[in-house]
Amino acid sequence: PPGKKVLIVYAHQEPKSLNGSLKRVAVEELSKQGCSVTVSDLYAMQFEPRATRNDIVGSLHNPEEFNYGAETWEAYKRGSLSSDVIEEQKKVQEADLLIFQFPLYWFSMPAIMKGWMDRVLVQGFAHEFPNCYDSGLLKNKLALFSFTTGGTKEMYAKGSISGDIRYLLWPMQHGIMHFCGVQVLAPHICFAPEYVSEEERKEMLIAWAERLKTLWKENPINCSPEWYFK
């Protein structure tokens, strides 16, 4: 609906890839609906994935012994995180919906996107114990993981060689997004695009565009272990 803000965090090196096309389709479809869409193209930005001392501008809270979590928490409160982190936090803060678009690497997200999670979702901004899970600081936001796999749908079935695809979503959807209070929409998965015809890849893009048309009517998944492990 008009006025909704969407942040697409996108991790692929090649704009002509299926991931690049899925990102483009999302920008087009959501913009058409009157949403305002921002893209963080992590490779193009040369986003720094490493969590280091450089993420804190100025002096440390405890210069004797470096504790990244404690230092970024203090820096967040003082407004002295590095500018690239602050920039991403602003985008997250403004967004109603976060879409993560990426190819699955080793049963997980690419390092550059994991680094985005590590550096952007700091304590004080995204969570602050006991304010996590349903009381996480980013509640009232939605997230959706849209990704491609190397393996086929059959390989990611329960009892199959790779196990249920939902097992892999537990750390990403539950351990990161739900931990920060974000509600999670059902994932959008394009299985093994490299091994299908050009025609089938086009159909994948059409299916994504179709889903986006009614996305705002969807209910979030049940944020409990049952969804993942039942």
Side-chain angles (χ1 to χ4, degrees):
K4 290 278 192 194
K5 293 195 161 148
V6 182
L7 171 62
I8 302 175
V9 182
Y10 161 70
H12 200 287
Q13 308 86 338
E14 174 51 67
K16 295 198 283 281
S17 63
L18 185 70
N19 274 277
S21 300
L22 288 159
K23 182 260 298 174
R24 195 186 63 248
V25 163
V27 172
E28 285 168 6
E29 182 51 49
L30 292 163
S31 302
K32 214 184 284 174
Q33 295 173 19
C35 300
S36 97
V37 185
T38 304
V39 177
S40 286
D41 181 341
L42 301 181
Y43 286 106
M45 291 155 71
Q46 299 193 345
F47 186 80
E48 168 61 84
R50 293 169 299 184
T52 68
R53 162 71 179 91
N54 298 337
D55 293 349
I56 298 100
V57 176
S59 56
L60 291 175
H61 186 66
N62 174 10
E64 298 310 304
E65 191 179 328
F66 185 69
N67 176 324
Y68 184 82
E71 291 294 345
T72 50
W73 184 20
E74 291 298 332
Y76 175 73
K77 291 188 282 198
R78 301 197 297 272
S80 58
L81 285 167
S82 62
S83 58
D84 60 340
V85 173
I86 290 174
E87 188 58 36
E88 295 307 298
Q89 287 178 342
K90 277 198 194 115
K91 296 176 193 174
V92 171
Q93 196 69 66
E94 289 177 1
D96 299 297
L97 167 66
L98 308 167
I99 295 177
F100 297 96
Q101 182 65 60
F102 59 97
L104 197 68
Y105 279 9
W106 296 117
F107 277 25
S108 186
M109 58 186 86
I112 200 165
M113 184 176 279
K114 177 57 165 56
W116 184 95
M117 305 284 180
D118 292 350
R119 295 180 63 229
V120 175
L121 302 174
V122 304
Q123 186 167 355
F125 169 68
H127 57 91
E128 188 143 27
F129 192 81
N131 293 322
C132 49
Y133 290 115
D134 290 342
S135 59
L137 303 180
L138 301 181
K139 53 184 182 294
N140 307 327
K141 296 187 188 299
L142 292 168
L144 193 165
F145 286 82
S146 170
F147 60 96
T148 58
T149 68
T152 61
K153 194 170 186 170
E154 293 68 42
M155 287 167 78
Y156 284 109
K158 205 177 201 151
S160 198
I161 186 78
S162 300
D164 193 324
I165 193 79
R166 291 183 175 201
Y167 302 158
L168 317 189
L169 288 161
W170 172 253
M172 298 192 261
Q173 293 186 165
H174 188 79
I176 305 177
M177 284 296 118
H178 184 210
F179 186 83
C180 297
V182 179
Q183 294 191 299
V184 181
L185 296 173
H188 199 84
I189 309 167
C190 293
F191 287 99
E194 286 172 82
Y195 303 107
V196 302
S197 66
E198 193 53 49
E199 197 46 54
E200 283 169 282
R201 280 196 291 275
K202 280 202 183 92
E203 278 163 24
M204 287 175 174
L205 295 177
I206 291 164
W208 178 222
E210 279 308 302
R211 180 176 174 193
L212 288 162
K213 285 185 168 65
T214 55
L215 194 69
W216 301 100
K217 296 195 175 88
E218 290 184 19
N219 289 320
I221 64 164
N222 154 23
C223 273
S224 71
E226 286 87 73
W227 189 89
Y228 299 89
F229 303 110
K230 64 171 186 286

